[in-house]
Amino acid sequence: MIHEVDETLDGIVKRDVLNGSNVEVSFDAPSREWAARRSSPALNFYLYDITEDLSRRDLNIQETRNEQGRVVARRVPDKRFRLAYLVTAWTQRPQDEHRLLSSVLTCFLRFDALPAEDLKGSLADASTAIRVTVGQPLPKDRQLSDIWSALGGELKPSLDLVVIAPFASGKGMQVGKLVTAGPVVHMTGAQGQDETVTQAPEGGSRSTDPAERPVRIRRIPT
């Protein structure tokens, strides 16, 4: 899923921000070594943080039904993760870098969610919109200076771009087998004889409770 978010961002930026220019779009870590190897203008989208968005967690179990309306599968809903990108521009002049950052900001301010027609791979099949924010304040426990220190580079103007993408939990629940017979009751009569009583499901309905078992009742003579 992460690589599909990368591909989606790459397509949007090349079309709406760069518009055919020779600026490279990179997802490498913008370390000192990377900057030294760079030979052309670049926009860098460095994925520096991946965390679950707990405010969007869905606790309701999702059911899958067949054509008859019966539940055939249950699963835990997708979890949504915040993919945080550090966006920087790399050219020979600060003015050009500022223009590129301004274009990126203008581009993504237009969207509350990534356009459906631009989504790549399994993102296109997501049941919810792929939310995106740009330029919002960082959490208090995260500072840009810490990120640049970890990269070993010098602090540069940057944008914080966050995409909220769904990830399948992979957790499912077993569905009990369909019960097609009514309950069976075994009774012992007053003379010690066995009696069996069966009952068809009412209204043609079927119970799907796998815990349902025949009940044995002993009749006590009076």
Side-chain angles (χ1 to χ4, degrees), residues 108-213:
F108 286 99
L109 280 176
R110 295 185 292 124
F111 307 136
D112 290 324
L114 297 178
E117 61 271 18
D118 293 321
L119 299 177
K120 306 298 184 184
S122 60
L123 290 178
D125 299 324
S127 58
T128 58
I130 311 300
R131 299 293 177 186
V132 61
T133 61
V134 63
Q136 293 192 356
L138 291 179
K140 293 181 180 180
D141 61 346
R142 191 180 305 137
Q143 299 295 326
L144 281 176
S145 56
D146 296 335
I147 300 172
W148 284 109
S149 296
L151 291 170
E154 298 180 359
L155 186 65
K156 287 178 64 70
S158 61
L159 292 171
D160 197 59
L161 181 72
V162 176
V163 178
I164 300 176
F167 282 74
S169 65
K171 295 180 181 179
M173 297 182 179
Q174 264 191 330
V175 177
K177 293 182 179 179
L178 184 65
V179 177
T180 58
V184 178
V185 179
H186 299 281
M187 298 184 297
T188 301
Q191 305 302 321
Q193 74 277 17
D194 287 334
E195 298 178 5
T196 301
V197 179
T198 60
Q199 181 180 358
E202 295 181 3
S205 62
R206 297 289 190 266
S207 170
T208 58
D209 184 2
E212 191 173 73
R213 297 290 185 271

Side-chain angles (χ1 to χ4, degrees), residues 20-181:
S21 68
N22 64 340
V23 178
E24 175 191 1
V25 178
S26 172
F27 292 87
D28 295 325
S31 62
R32 191 185 300 272
E33 292 76 14
W34 175 83
R37 294 194 307 268
R38 184 184 54 81
S39 59
S40 61
L43 268 174
N44 185 278
F45 288 74
Y46 173 54
L47 178 62
Y48 70 89
D49 193 49
I50 305 171
T51 53
E52 184 182 355
D53 188 346
L54 297 178
S55 66
R56 298 176 187 270
R57 177 177 282 190
D58 186 358
L59 300 178
N60 296 317
I61 300 300
Q62 296 179 346
E63 296 181 339
T64 302
R65 297 178 179 270
N66 60 15
E67 295 178 354
Q68 290 73 39
R70 297 194 182 107
V71 176
V72 294
R74 294 187 178 94
R75 70 179 187 90
V76 176
D78 295 343
K79 294 185 178 182
R80 292 172 177 80
F81 279 78
R82 296 169 56 88
L83 309 182
Y85 292 84
L86 181 73
V87 184
T88 50
W90 300 77
T91 68
Q92 297 299 322
R93 300 196 315 155
Q95 296 91 333
D96 294 333
E97 294 179 353
H98 296 171
R99 289 191 184 94
L100 283 173
L101 289 178
S102 178
S103 297
V104 173
L105 183 60
T106 301
C107 172
F108 286 99
L109 280 176
R110 295 185 292 124
F111 307 136
D112 290 324
L114 297 178
E117 61 271 18
D118 293 321
L119 299 177
K120 306 298 184 184
S122 60
L123 290 178
D125 299 324
S127 58
T128 58
I130 311 300
R131 299 293 177 186
V132 61
T133 61
V134 63
Q136 293 192 356
L138 291 179
K140 293 181 180 180
D141 61 346
R142 191 180 305 137
Q143 299 295 326
L144 281 176
S145 56
D146 296 335
I147 300 172
W148 284 109
S149 296
L151 291 170
E154 298 180 359
L155 186 65
K156 287 178 64 70
S158 61
L159 292 171
D160 197 59
L161 181 72
V162 176
V163 178
I164 300 176
F167 282 74
S169 65
K171 295 180 181 179
M173 297 182 179
Q174 264 191 330
V175 177
K177 293 182 179 179
L178 184 65
V179 177
T180 58

